[in-house]
Amino acid sequence: ASTPVETDDEEKTAVSTSPILSTLQPFIPPPLRPIIANATNTDLEYIPMRDLFTSPSVSFAYERGWRQGFAAAGFPGAEKEFDMAKEYFDPVIAKRKEKNEESVLVDMSCATGLFTRRFTKSNEYSRVIACDYSDSMLTEARRRIRADPEISSSSTKLDLVRCDVANIPMKTDSIDAF
């Protein structure tokens, strides 16, 4: 991968980013990242709400306590939230089923796959694509998916994709529920 960088003569050049530093980034304390970035001529910019969720510790704790804190913020709970999302998608999915067409649902920013697993087990969708920016969250989602015997018997095709919500790699009109 390369990152465009401004040089003294205002030309853009590509500077190779280190795959090792990219992998270690979640473990590098945020205050040290700019120092390491300058010393190694790489881009280790820390963006708090993005990079917090790349931490394996946060991924591990997400469904083991973090998610329960949502109730204190007024969220109705995972089951009710899933029902609300499913209800929201139902009209579009029903139209696809009436035409005997496959339906594709994207769970963007899926984190540990809490809703991905529910969407998949519901067998309401032909395919579920679970996306997240964080490799660590996708690793935890994959672990939880593999540990859930109901998913292996589901008729729904399931894919995990690492992507940035600001740059979604899907064709226009290729997704029914997002």
Side-chain angles (χ1 to χ4, degrees), residues 58-136:
V58 171
S59 300
F60 178 82
Y62 188 77
E63 285 185 47
R64 294 174 178 91
W66 182 300
R67 186 72 175 75
Q68 287 76 359
F70 284 30
F75 287 80
E79 288 302 322
K80 178 66 176 160
E81 291 170 50
F82 170 71
D83 289 342
M84 292 167 66
K86 196 172 158 314
E87 251 179 63
Y88 180 78
F89 297 139
D90 277 348
V92 170
I93 301 306
K95 285 180 185 175
R96 300 292 286 192
K97 285 183 176 181
E98 285 173 13
K99 298 176 183 177
N100 277 337
E101 295 176 339
E102 293 191 345
S103 59
V104 179
L105 177 135
V106 171
D107 184 4
M108 187 56 71
S109 300
C110 69
T112 59
L114 180 66
F115 293 101
T116 299
R117 296 189 307 273
R118 285 173 167 80
F119 288 129
T120 302
K121 290 188 286 189
S122 76
N123 289 311
E124 291 291 320
Y125 315 95
S126 306
R127 182 177 184 195
V128 172
I129 304 171
C131 302
D132 205 281
Y133 178 81
S134 167
D135 282 326
S136 153

Side-chain angles (χ1 to χ4, degrees), residues 139-154:
T139 297
E140 182 68 17
R142 190 172 293 106
R143 188 192 67 70
R144 289 174 175 272
I145 287 164
R146 287 180 178 154
D148 190 330
E150 288 180 63
I151 290 179
S152 61
S153 64
S154 171

Side-chain angles (χ1 to χ4, degrees), residues 3-15:
T3 305
V5 177
E6 294 289 330
T7 59
D8 291 339
D9 57 1
E10 297 297 313
E11 289 180 25
K12 289 196 176 209
T13 59
V15 176

